[in-house]
Amino acid sequence: MSSSNKKIGLITTTSLVVGNMIGAGIFILPASLSTYGSISLLGWVFTASGAIILAKIFSNLSKIIVNKSGGPYAYSKEGFGDFIGFLVAWGYWISTWISNAAIAIAIIGALSFFFPILETNSFLAVSIGLSMIWFFTWINSNGVRSSGKIQVITTVLKILPLVFVIIFGLFFFSLDNFPKFNLTGETDFTTFSLVAALTLYAFLGLESASIPAENIKNPSKIVPKATMLGTIISTCIYILGTVVLFGILPTETLQNSPAPFAEAGQVIGGKYAGYFVAMGAAISGMGALNGWILILAQIPMAAAKDNIFPKVFKKNNKKGAPILGLIIGSLLSSVVMLMNFSDSLVSQFTFMVNLTVLACLVPYLFVSAAYTIIVLQKNKEPSSSILKTVILGLLGFLYSLWAIYGSTAEVVFYGFLLLLLGIPFYVLMQWNKSKTK
């Protein structure tokens, strides 16, 4: 375990949660939501409610399982044993290095607002994307405190333009711009399900504080606080930002905007305000990439300490960073990112990114199911009654199940196939463990 002066506190841990949840996607998501109508605000509320329930579950578990890194892996393993723990670690690890490639590509998209050549010069674009991945890998190789400082700075810089639009946008708000309730022609229930699934992506990462728990000061207090604070802060920014944009930009303009927050910034303060907000999107992606690269090596390291993943993943450098886990994960991210710049593989890449969402939902499902079991086993009731604990766990389980059900049948099929592909790897690890005893 790292010494106390190498650990991170409440502000940095909260920044990890907010920074990992708020990526570059939120800067364009309101444009997608506007095509459905103002019913999308109900989707935000519903998804936020589910996310807060899950955040509360992770928060409570972090008070019971203390000084144990791995978050969803550690909690699933505690509730259901090594095999389920392995499946969660395997799926989550794969989802992380795939999604890191997607974040790098999103950063390139945000930078193309300032440098249009990135849209046509694939060599330059891929070079910048790879540079981003390996720059933040280097930052994380200097230890969690080094990564944490960058995370605090980028989180502040990404929130500032969003808060700017939310506060000053109120002076340009008009209900006449607000889209009609349902613009799709589908039933309200069908449309509601679609927007709820769309907004779900924005809440992935709420579990981030629980993953590097061993590197956090007083984790039994800081992890639960950071988890709830980070989720609530992100939720407020998501919902308020969407409401304000709906009131600033006419529906047709919003629907066709590649950078709605930047356009709103221009309405509020002219060209330079638009640039300020657009730069926030690029910085937001950089902060998310930094935070997720930190997570990238923490999950396999926690599993390796339990002899469920290869020993190579628990090898630390002099600064306490799981260096080989960082290198292996970033190499895989680099390969996936390169795939996106081959026209024949673009559709495959998009499909793989969709799989990462399912790979995050499955851990949520297992953690929610394990919650009541762990609470009763440890005899540490965090709620006022067992009934409340059961209800909280059940609500988290049902929400996660609904979210998985809302994914396309193809994604669900291949997502679970991806998890099953890890079984031979698990069998090999168990055989090797028994052989070395």
Side-chain angles (χ1 to χ4, degrees):
M1 185 185 296
S2 304
S3 59
S4 179
N5 64 347
K6 292 183 179 180
K7 296 187 177 184
I8 57 177
L10 178 61
I11 292 176
T12 305
T13 309
T14 303
S15 296
L16 180 63
V17 178
V18 175
N20 282 7
M21 289 178 68
I22 301 179
I26 182 56
F27 285 83
I28 60 172
L29 187 56
S32 301
L33 292 173
S34 66
T35 62
Y36 296 96
S38 56
I39 191 174
S40 57
L41 296 176
L42 294 182
W44 269 129
V45 172
F46 176 79
T47 310
S49 300
I52 289 172
I53 288 170
L54 291 172
K56 182 62 176 172
I57 289 173
F58 275 94
S59 176
N60 287 348
L61 285 172
S62 67
K63 298 174 187 176
I64 299 171
I65 302 174
V66 184
N67 286 322
K68 174 68 176 175
S69 292
Y73 154 73
Y75 304 152
S76 299
K77 178 179 178 294
E78 185 71 30
F80 297 109
D82 286 358
F83 178 62
I84 296 299
F86 166 80
L87 286 182
V88 167
W90 170 263
Y92 199 95
W93 177 62
I94 291 175
S95 77
T96 304
W97 50 260
I98 292 177
S99 62
N100 281 351
I103 294 170
I105 291 165
I107 294 171
I108 296 169
L111 290 174
S112 66
F113 183 89
F114 301 94
F115 309 103
I117 191 175
L118 293 176
E119 295 179 358
T120 55
N121 191 323
S122 294
F123 177 78
L124 182 59
V126 78
S127 297
I128 290 175
L130 290 173
S131 298
M132 288 289 175
I133 290 173
W134 288 101
F135 172 72
F136 288 113
T137 301
W138 172 73
I139 289 291
N140 277 273
S141 72
N142 290 314
V144 69
R145 281 184 64 85
S146 175
S147 175
K149 289 176 182 177
I150 297 295
Q151 196 68 2
V152 172
I153 294 169
T154 55
T155 298
V156 170
L157 291 178
K158 77 169 67 176
I159 287 178
L160 279 177
L162 294 171
V163 172
F164 168 79
V165 171
I166 291 169
I167 293 176
F168 291 98
L170 293 174
F171 297 99
F172 297 84
F173 187 92
S174 173
L175 283 175
D176 293 337
N177 290 329
F178 232 67
K180 293 181 180 179
F181 186 71
N182 188 346
L183 296 173
T184 65
E186 301 286 345
T187 65
D188 289 347
F189 180 78
T190 300
T191 306
F192 171 77
S193 299
L194 289 171
V195 295
L198 188 61
T199 55
L200 171 67
Y201 304 142
F203 289 95
L204 300 181
L206 60 88
E207 70 285 354
S208 296
S210 66
I211 294 175
E214 293 176 39
N215 299 106
I216 296 173
K217 300 173 185 175
N218 198 359
S220 63
K221 291 185 178 180
I222 286 181
V223 172
K225 285 182 180 178
T227 300
M228 296 306 298
L229 274 174
T231 304
I232 291 169
I233 290 170
S234 301
T235 297
C236 291
I237 289 173
Y238 290 156
I239 296 177
L240 292 175
T242 304
V243 169
V244 170
L245 283 190
F246 279 5
I248 295 178
L249 301 176
T251 301
E252 186 176 347
T253 302
L254 184 57
Q255 289 176 348
N256 296 299
S257 174
F261 272 97
E263 283 204 37
Q266 288 182 327
V267 170
I268 295 168
K271 180 174 66 174
Y272 292 107
Y275 288 157
F276 168 64
V277 177
M279 181 54 70
I283 293 172
S284 184
M286 294 175 194
L289 183 60
N290 175 64
W292 281 108
I293 286 178
L294 185 154
I295 298 299
L296 173 66
Q298 292 288 329
I299 287 284
M301 180 177 69
K305 287 180 178 179
D306 294 330
N307 296 316
I308 292 178
F309 261 49
K311 294 179 181 179
V312 67
F313 285 102
K314 64 180 179 180
K315 182 176 179 57
N316 288 346
N317 62 12
K318 293 179 180 179
K319 296 186 178 180
I323 186 64
L324 291 179
L326 286 168
I327 292 172
I328 292 169
S330 291
L331 279 172
L332 291 167
S333 294
S334 299
V335 170
V336 174
M337 200 201 75
L338 286 168
M339 288 171 59
N340 186 65
F341 289 91
S342 170
D343 291 338
S344 62
L345 292 175
V346 169
S347 60
Q348 295 180 39
F349 174 82
T350 303
F351 181 71
M352 289 173 70
V353 170
N354 289 333
L355 289 181
T356 67
V357 177
L358 183 68
C360 285
L361 290 174
V362 170
Y364 294 166
L365 186 75
F366 281 123
V367 169
S368 297
Y371 175 63
T372 304
I373 296 172
I374 294 172
V375 169
L376 295 179
Q377 282 181 343
K378 298 293 183 179
N379 195 29
K380 292 184 178 180
E381 176 56 58
S383 304
S384 59
S385 68
I386 292 178
L387 180 61
K388 286 184 179 180
T389 300
V390 172
I391 290 174
L392 182 63
L394 182 62
L395 287 174
F397 180 84
L398 291 175
Y399 174 76
S400 303
L401 194 63
W402 173 85
I404 291 172
Y405 174 78
S407 302
T408 65
E410 188 180 22
V411 167
V412 171
F413 173 77
Y414 285 106
F416 280 103
L417 183 62
L418 188 69
L419 292 178
L420 292 176
L421 287 175
I423 294 178
F425 185 72
Y426 174 77
V427 172
L428 180 63
M429 287 301 302
Q430 292 300 303
W431 175 79
N432 184 60
K433 187 162 62 173
S434 64
K435 188 178 178 181
T436 55
K437 283 184 179 179

